[in-house]
Amino acid sequence: MITIPVVDYEKEKHNWNKILNVLQCMTCPLFSAIVTKGIFAGDDDFNLKTLNGFPVIVLIVLISIVLSGIVWCTSKHDTQPKYHDLFAYMGFVISVIWIYSIANEIVNLLQMLGIVFHISNAILGLTLLAWGNSIGDLIADTVMARQGFPRMGISACFGGPLFSILCKLCIHVFYKQTYMVLF
């Protein structure tokens, strides 16, 4: 709630709350920089990046303060501003960053389990991570079959992974061909 702005056109004032949105203008850039390790130099979490000797975290805090000040000064408590739609885009970007950070933590937990139980990363990738990627398809296909569409559920069991493989293969081949032509 503090990092993800919500714009809902079905609610009164499109879910506008001046104080909350000002707070989100402070927390979103900071959260993004910390989670994506945009402020850390290298793999060491104690070395901060600098830009001509100026710490990047200070620059991000200053940008956050300026952004919050602009929203505070140009908006009212009772009506949403004209730029309120931009908060929906900001919410989308921050949601993607949340998904990225959660997925990274799950992979780190699986790697930790591999270290504890002496399982190689290749075996983890072929088993646990592959099963994890297939859980969504399993649930969707099972629900589809139980709703009276067994042919569609069975077709999706084969069609979903096939479509995924073909798309990835096409993208990879297109990238390689484009790279070979350009360079």
Side-chain angles (χ1 to χ4, degrees):
M1 177 101 178
I2 291 178
T3 57
I4 302 176
V6 178
V7 178
D8 189 359
Y9 291 109
E10 296 176 0
K11 293 195 177 182
E12 183 183 346
K13 299 187 297 184
H14 303 289
N15 218 17
W16 171 253
N17 185 338
K18 181 179 179 175
I19 297 172
L20 179 61
N21 285 24
V22 167
L23 181 64
Q24 288 167 341
C25 286
M26 284 291 293
T27 58
C28 286
L30 290 171
F31 173 75
S32 301
I34 291 170
V35 169
T36 60
K37 296 191 177 195
I39 60 171
F40 301 114
D43 292 333
D44 188 14
D45 286 345
F46 300 108
N47 250 348
L48 294 178
K49 281 187 183 176
T50 59
L51 189 63
N52 294 332
F54 193 73
V56 173
I57 186 72
V58 175
L59 182 65
I60 292 172
V61 168
L62 290 175
I63 290 171
S64 299
I65 290 171
V66 168
L67 187 61
S68 297
I70 290 171
V71 171
W72 182 263
C73 293
T74 61
S75 63
K76 298 178 183 176
H77 286 284
D78 54 347
T79 59
Q80 73 270 15
K82 291 180 181 177
Y83 53 82
H84 183 55
D85 294 337
L86 294 176
F87 283 95
Y89 294 113
M90 187 167 74
F92 174 76
V93 171
I94 296 300
S95 297
V96 169
I97 292 173
W98 265 106
I99 292 168
Y100 164 79
S101 66
I102 290 169
N104 272 345
E105 288 306 314
I106 290 172
V107 169
N108 289 339
L109 284 172
L110 287 174
Q111 285 180 337
M112 185 267 316
L113 286 175
I115 291 171
V116 169
F117 293 118
H118 305 293
I119 302 171
S120 71
N121 285 339
I123 299 297
L124 283 174
L126 289 172
T127 55
L128 293 176
L129 291 175
W131 292 340
N133 284 334
S134 301
I135 292 291
D137 288 338
L138 172 69
I139 292 171
D141 298 343
T142 305
V143 168
M144 192 62 60
R146 287 187 180 178
Q147 286 182 347
F149 304 103
R151 286 184 177 177
M152 191 181 298
I154 291 172
S155 298
C157 286
F158 297 104
L162 179 66
F163 180 73
S164 177
I165 289 169
L166 288 176
C167 283
K168 291 175 186 174
L169 182 66
C170 289
I171 290 171
H172 180 72
V173 169
F174 176 75
Y175 172 75
K176 283 292 187 184
Q177 288 298 322
T178 306
Y179 184 76
M180 295 299 281
V181 168
L182 292 176
F183 301 103

